[in-house]
Amino acid sequence: MTELVLRPLADAFMQVGVYVAVMVALFGWLRWRYGDRVTDGLTSRPRLGPLVGALLGVSPGCGGAIILMPLYARGKVSFGTVVAALAATMGDSSWVVLAWNPAFALKIHLLLFAVGLVTGYVVDALGIDPAKTPRRNRAARAAREAHPEPALVGASGAGPAGLAALGGPDLASSRRLLGGLLPRVPASTAFWGLTTPAFAVSVPVVFQLVDPTVLTRAFGGIDPYLALGVLGTAIAALIFATGRGRLADDTLETAQPRSLRATLRHSAHEASFVTVWVGVAYLGWQVLTTTTGFDGSQLAVTGLIGVLVGAAIGLIPGCAVQIVFTGLYVSGGLPLPTLVANAISQDGDALIPLAAMRRHSAALATVITTIPAAAVGAALLVLL
């Protein structure tokens, strides 16, 4: 039971969740502190659009790419800038590879940046932009911009009102779901309170600086890695359930948070979202391999078919499926070309607000990013 169920759940938090939490908080703070400066510089230098778009897109998570969407809707940046960001972003699945292997994550993010940069400039050079409508449609477009749809600021149900609702469960919810372990403590606060000791235990264990049995003996026979990991995943699941599974859906509000408290709260939700889906991937893979002996080689995820499958899965909006897909690679179930094709093709949560503002642009952008995804994935098949 421990190795089949509890160990994968502990690994999800201790090998991924705690590192995701630290990095999400760091990047959230940077967006809160410097986000406006980046976008102001971008709108004043339009020729640098795809370059800045690729830089924002390649930053872990979805917030960097999402910042560009309202700017494009207002005509401040080019369509190539948007495509560059969408091709460069790996969404929330970037946290998975960063926590698993930072050196590998740096390489794949450099590749994503290069692909996004080239794709963005090619799109601009070809003059592709669905937002360039005939004159008779401009009045209707201006009216839509003057009265944006509610989805513009809450496409995932996490606008200002939604964020208030995501502040953490009340006392009754905490006691029901965690057996009274966290009385009078909002789940997001409990998450950060647990992350500190979990990080302190995870670093020496994950990087093999200490024998886990030594820690177990030091704590009187209790494995701190397993205990903290399972509890951390439980808290992440509580936060995930409180937000009805939409906790990591970035919006225009969370891409540019207005306070440090909002930054930490959203960071807890985003880290929990990633932790839960990684836990699903880890647990599912462990159960599958243990009960059937299936090791992934039987799937059509190798060769050119695998590349096309990875690129096609990248067409699915949002990050949940992409996190599970990346988790399969970390678990050894996917080859590198398939992962790269998926990483380039996927658009993360940034596609959601873009679709709310410019449906045709969103549809064309997500199709365009599958072209370099298939090409680069196929090239890796030849080179590797």
Side-chain angles (χ1 to χ4, degrees):
M1 177 66 177
T2 297
E3 296 301 320
L4 182 63
V5 177
L6 298 183
R7 184 67 62 180
L9 294 179
D11 287 342
F13 184 72
M14 300 298 282
Q15 294 182 6
V16 178
V18 293
Y19 301 98
V20 169
V22 172
M23 291 182 289
V24 167
L26 172 61
F27 279 91
W29 179 83
L30 290 173
R31 290 203 302 267
W32 167 62
R33 186 69 178 82
Y34 300 108
D36 290 336
R37 297 182 186 180
V38 173
T39 55
D40 290 346
L42 174 60
T43 56
S44 64
R45 296 176 178 83
R47 291 186 179 180
L48 297 179
L51 171 61
V52 179
L55 285 171
L56 288 172
V58 81
S59 62
C62 302
I66 284 179
I67 290 173
L68 295 172
M69 303 308 150
L71 298 178
Y72 169 71
R74 295 196 299 268
K76 300 295 185 180
V77 299
S78 67
F79 186 59
T81 301
V82 169
V83 172
L86 294 179
T89 188
M90 199 175 175
D92 288 330
S93 60
S94 61
W95 302 121
V96 179
V97 293
L98 273 167
W100 171 66
N101 189 329
F104 171 80
L106 176 61
K107 294 177 183 178
I108 195 170
H109 280 79
L110 287 174
L111 176 61
L112 290 172
F113 170 76
V115 172
L117 180 66
V118 172
T119 306
Y121 274 113
V122 168
V123 168
D124 278 352
L126 295 176
I128 301 173
D129 190 349
K132 292 181 179 179
T133 57
R135 181 174 298 177
R136 64 178 178 271
N137 292 335
R138 290 177 184 169
R141 187 177 70 179
R144 288 196 302 269
E145 291 177 353
H147 303 283
E149 299 177 9
L152 180 63
V153 294
S156 61
L163 284 176
L166 295 181
D170 57 18
L171 173 60
S173 298
S174 297
R175 284 176 172 170
R176 282 198 305 270
L177 295 175
L178 286 180
L181 292 176
L182 304 171
R184 302 185 185 279
V185 179
S188 57
T189 302
F191 180 88
W192 289 115
L194 185 67
T195 295
T196 301
F199 185 82
V201 171
S202 173
V203 170
V205 172
V206 171
F207 293 96
Q208 300 180 358
L209 301 177
V210 64
D211 187 345
T213 59
V214 174
L215 292 178
T216 302
R217 288 197 298 270
F219 283 86
I222 298 175
D223 184 348
Y225 178 95
L226 185 66
L228 289 170
V230 172
L231 183 58
T233 300
I235 294 176
L238 167 62
I239 297 175
F240 182 89
T242 302
R244 299 179 181 178
R246 297 181 295 184
L247 299 176
D249 287 345
D250 285 292
T251 67
L252 303 183
E253 289 290 326
T254 56
Q256 292 180 295
R258 301 303 179 188
S259 69
L260 184 58
R261 171 180 283 185
T263 298
L264 290 175
R265 184 172 61 232
H266 178 69
S267 297
H269 291 303
E270 187 169 9
S272 296
F273 183 91
V274 175
T275 300
V276 168
W277 282 111
V278 169
V280 169
Y282 280 17
L283 179 60
W285 189 253
Q286 181 69 22
V287 171
L288 184 65
T289 56
T290 301
T291 58
T292 68
F294 182 84
D295 60 3
S297 62
Q298 299 89 338
L299 289 173
V301 293
T302 59
L304 183 59
I305 293 179
V307 168
L308 296 177
V309 168
I313 291 177
L315 290 168
I316 301 173
C319 295
V321 174
Q322 319 304 339
I323 291 172
V324 173
F325 200 75
T326 304
L328 290 177
Y329 173 80
V330 172
S331 300
L334 298 175
L336 179 61
T338 301
L339 173 71
V340 169
N342 175 260
I344 297 172
S345 177
Q346 64 168 286
D347 305 315
D349 294 327
L351 196 67
I352 297 172
L354 178 60
M357 294 179 282
R358 293 286 185 272
R359 290 194 307 273
H360 297 301
S361 297
L364 181 60
T366 194
V367 169
I368 287 176
T369 57
T370 61
I371 298 174
V376 175
L380 287 177
L381 287 175
V382 176
L383 296 175
L384 297 180

